[in-house]
Amino acid sequence: MNERDTYAGQMPSAPELGRGVLHQRAAASRFRLRRYPPSPGLAPFVDFYWVVRWDLRGQAAYEQAILPHPNVHLAFEPGRTAIYGVPTRLFLRKIEGLGATLGVRFRPGGFRPFWTGSIARLTDQVVPADRLLGPAGEQARQVIISDPDDAVLVGRAQTLLDSVRPARDPVAEEVAAMVARIVAEPALRQVGQLAADLDTPVRRLQRLFADYVGVSPKWVIRRARLHDAALRAEQAGPVDWAVLAADLGYSDQAHLTRDFTAIIGESPARYAAR
């Protein structure tokens, strides 16, 4: 099984823990994160599986902040199995003692074929996973939180998802490609620009994103640019915030600072200094 590893105690450069994990050097000293690709049959729906393990026995609890992505997650946690819609604010998770969590990150739009309605209804919501998995979800959770072998965890999750796997949805895959384009192209700054590039009306984009992603295309664009800014702040060396603001499509540095502070809770310069 292929994997991308980050081990507790290392001091990683910013990208190793992935976009969205804030204060990465501190995070890497508290927990270990690994990601695993899905099986070919689930690849149209699932982005990757992630396994977090921690051992903080004899230490203080640790609260990790995550800058959200436009993805629905299924998480097998010590206390529950739950479906997490896209959080529009900073996501905080406290860990303590000894534990592990397995998560399934669905592709943007990839959870829609599993669900019975618009993904917008899940935004900022956490719902019990038995609505999707039935009693098998709790049975799997008990194995997942106790087994030390990541392959066993991922295999159990894949078997469960295969048991409820829907038919492929070409619209979901179209939406996933749209989001991937937004993330990959920092010069893409406006919804109208995306609509023109795709030769698609803005109103159609808005409807698709609400139904399949759960948030607006404007939210996805702005959040992708904040991910870019946070990763840049994690890297060593000084940052010219005015230049970065321009590169990310902000009219000036003040607007970048305002957005960054509103979501992350501190200015870009203060975040970089910490």
Side-chain angles (χ1 to χ4, degrees), residues 17-22 24 35 47-48 50 66-73 84-91 105-108 123 179 183 213-215 219-220 223-224 226-228 231:
L17 277 175
R19 291 165 63 95
V21 179
L22 301 181
Q24 296 202 1
R35 298 182 180 86
D47 196 355
F48 55 77
W50 50 268
I66 306 290
L67 184 61
H69 296 268
N71 303 78
V72 173
H73 289 253
Y84 288 80
V86 177
T88 56
R89 297 176 177 84
L90 203 64
F91 181 79
R105 185 170 110 161
F106 291 87
R107 300 179 71 195
T123 301
V179 174
V183 173
V213 185
V215 288
W219 187 96
V220 175
R223 193 50 51 89
L226 283 181
H227 277 287
D228 293 336
L231 277 180

Side-chain angles (χ1 to χ4, degrees), residues 51-115:
V51 179
V52 172
R53 296 186 184 275
W54 63 92
D55 186 351
L56 298 179
R57 289 173 293 184
Q59 304 177 52
Y62 178 73
E63 187 172 68
Q64 177 62 48
I66 306 290
L67 184 61
H69 296 268
N71 303 78
V72 173
H73 289 253
L74 168 65
F76 299 85
E77 304 174 281
R80 63 179 176 180
T81 304
I83 298 163
Y84 288 80
V86 177
T88 56
R89 297 176 177 84
L90 203 64
F91 181 79
L92 301 174
R93 170 61 70 213
K94 180 184 287 187
I95 58 174
E96 57 188 340
L98 176 69
T101 294
L102 167 68
V104 182
R105 185 170 110 161
F106 291 87
R107 300 179 71 195
F111 192 68
R112 180 64 177 83
F114 289 88
W115 204 237

